[in-house]
Amino acid sequence: MVDREAGEGSVWLSNRGDDCGNLVYKKRLAELTQRAQKESGAKRSVCFVSSFLPQKCGIATFTNDLINAIRANTGDFSPFVVAMHGGEKVDYADPVKFEIRPNVEGDYRSAAEHINFSQAKVVSIQHEYGLFGGEQGNYLLLLLRRLRVPVVTTLHTVLDKPSNAQRKVLSEIADISYKVVVMSRQGMSMLKDVYNVSGKKAVHFPHGIPDLPLVNPNNYKHSLGLRERKIILTFGLISRNKGIEVMIKALPEIVAEDASIVYAVVGVTHPNVKQVDGEEYRLSLQRLVAKLGLEEHVIFYNHFVSAPELHQWLCAADFYVTPYLYPQQMTSGTLAFALGSGKAIISTPYWYARELLEDGRGRLVDFGDSQGIAANIIELLRNRRKCLAMRKRAYALGRTMTWRNVGASYWKLLGEAARRGRARAVLYEPVPEETGSVVDLPDLQLDHLIRLTDEVGLIQHARFIVPAREHGYCTDDNARALEMIIKYYRNKKDKELLRLLNIYLGFIYHAQGVDGRFQNFVTFERKLVEPDVPGDALPRAVLGIGALVGDPPTPAYLASAKECFQRAIVHLPVASLRGKAYSIVGLSYYLKQFPEETDIKELLRKNAQMLVSAFEERSSEDWLWFEDELTYDNAAVVQGLFVAGQVCEESTFMETAVRSCEFLLKHTYDGHHFSFVGNKGWFPRGGQKARFDQQPIEASSTVGMLRTAYEATGEGKYARLMRKAFDWFLGDNDLQLPVYDLATGGCGDGLNADGVNTNQGAESLLSFLSALICVSESYASRGGKGRSQ
């Protein structure tokens, strides 16, 4: 989080827990408030939370155009921007006053403080999926719940079939907002029907467009070096869902009709796509062009064009094509721009195109229909009068969508919100009395994970933070690392995370034998050790690969991951008690991607039934456990049953999970902090519980168990205890010593009688990182009790 007003390079850390840091921060905010009051005078200050130029992003361009449009309508306007930092290094200028790193929770809280201490009378949120961190962007709620000023939210996408998480997040955003703005009539209907947002809450403003004249394209082609050519244009950020290959496949037939045709693809690859896939899509399009012999008829203008450049291309174009592949697109700035400049438009029938091009303002063809595109363009080439009439109808509607008109509508709404909107400061996020913690969550850092990872995989052990290569690698650790990275990548699309993911996945693939079993250990010299049949390697691999199948970075991972998974699960009957629990979670991940595979669900149920049978055989009135001894990773067994209870909806699984969970809590939580079973003697039935050495894996699995228990039962105490279990890492333990090392990013290998084990190996690190992600996702995904301030 960077406070732009605090001076060049000044960074205010949002996770400082000390009073001194908070006082300094608030004092600085008070100074900024006084300065803002002097500078703004009587102007209405509006804060925009959005990506912003010079980021290469459609939302950034939209917000910049909106600010300029409002300025054109009034002099009573003082905007500032809280910029969502997209990862690439950019140098912001005025009006950006503050930056949020999307995946750093503390930045959202600090941004709310900054806005509350500013002179902002209203906040405009530009919402798009992928812009904000957390599960389905729920980190935005950390900011919204703290604001004391009214909010107007523009929804750039509304999904017709949202997941539960997507529906929950968007519904709460709408609930907090004074109004939500959508850019299509269908968006209005979907808000009401899918999200239960009232018609009074939602308003429809069109996507703003530049005010361009209806011109003869031939007058603008010479400056592009395309005199005497007829131009078909597609522009915007390039990604596979744009379907550009469909238009290219239509070209041979069109060129046969008119050899002067040139298809211009204007724009750079979408930054998020480029970060993961590089320029593979653009290169595939170029290969297609070469294969079809169309090199003289296709131009790839690989630039993020400025507004004047874009206007030049729009004016010069004869036809505009959006051959998008899927119907679920609520708005398209590029289509709106083309309509507003009076282009002859051919499009596939995605939602926004159907609405914008009705009444003869354009032509619609089926998805993937190259022949349909060709037929329509050829017809319009042959009938200039029909083409001009269509252009005029499009241009007429565009007059109502110019930025000046749209800016006036937004300014009126923002003023209404500032006057009538309820001042608020609702804090729904868990507070100290709910969580039992007064310590902010640390930021997730991967420094030590990267330190322990080489080109082969994750090295098991370390001397302090130095990798102990003589111990080599194990499948268990690499599978856990894979699961953790997949969860983190879900919220942070980062190339370094993808690099790590591929290393851990490659290790697992290499460790799997032809029969589907896994060698657990690999020496530093890359020699495989015998298969680990009764151990945890197999079920841990099932868990890690299952996580990949359930949530792959791209669909390309699915085929090989599914094949690896299917070959492994045939050996699950030999898994240990804990192995069955790991397998249940892995199978549940798989079912998220393939819910129709009943054999997988049945396998999950059988593993859960085996856990229940073990509980019924070993438990007694005073010993509600699956074995005659509490040993390692105990909570994982209970978590497996909670997961099975949710997936299979069998009360026996849930009842056994609750009883064993309460038994485990009775013996590990003393009412103040957690004291886990130590591995120096464990805890045998009828014996004494070993106090030391307590392992980080116990804290991590307890966090996971309690989060799942809360989600399965709705019992608030489990959410509170989840945070208490995590705080074991931060020093809320028997020795009151932090096990997590903030300086190194590593985690001590245990809590011993004489202190924290200073060696920081892979298992301990993964335990901490997994627990941190688990708690962070839980906080961001639930509303908590809430309180007003």
Short mmCIF file of all heavy atoms in Angstrom, two decimals, residues 323 456 688 712 764:
data_model
loop_
_atom_site.label_atom_id
_atom_site.label_comp_id
_atom_site.label_asym_id
_atom_site.label_seq_id
_atom_site.Cartn_x
_atom_site.Cartn_y
_atom_site.Cartn_z
N PRO A 323 -16.15 -10.97 -32.99
CA PRO A 323 -16.50 -12.39 -33.17
C PRO A 323 -16.36 -13.19 -31.88
O PRO A 323 -15.87 -14.31 -31.88
CB PRO A 323 -15.46 -12.84 -34.21
CG PRO A 323 -14.25 -12.01 -33.91
CD PRO A 323 -14.76 -10.69 -33.39
N VAL A 456 14.27 -29.03 -9.41
CA VAL A 456 13.71 -30.36 -9.22
C VAL A 456 12.42 -30.31 -8.42
O VAL A 456 11.41 -30.92 -8.78
CB VAL A 456 14.73 -31.29 -8.52
CG1 VAL A 456 14.10 -32.65 -8.21
CG2 VAL A 456 15.96 -31.46 -9.39
N GLN A 688 -0.64 -39.57 29.74
CA GLN A 688 -0.45 -38.13 29.79
C GLN A 688 -0.15 -37.59 28.40
O GLN A 688 0.56 -38.22 27.61
CB GLN A 688 0.72 -37.78 30.73
CG GLN A 688 0.46 -38.12 32.19
CD GLN A 688 -0.64 -37.25 32.78
OE1 GLN A 688 -0.68 -36.04 32.55
NE2 GLN A 688 -1.55 -37.87 33.53
N ALA A 712 -19.53 -25.96 7.88
CA ALA A 712 -20.49 -27.07 7.88
C ALA A 712 -21.61 -26.88 8.89
O ALA A 712 -22.74 -27.31 8.66
CB ALA A 712 -19.75 -28.38 8.17
N SER A 764 7.09 -27.26 7.85
CA SER A 764 6.69 -26.19 8.76
C SER A 764 6.25 -24.95 7.99
O SER A 764 5.25 -24.31 8.32
CB SER A 764 7.86 -25.84 9.70
OG SER A 764 8.28 -26.97 10.42
#
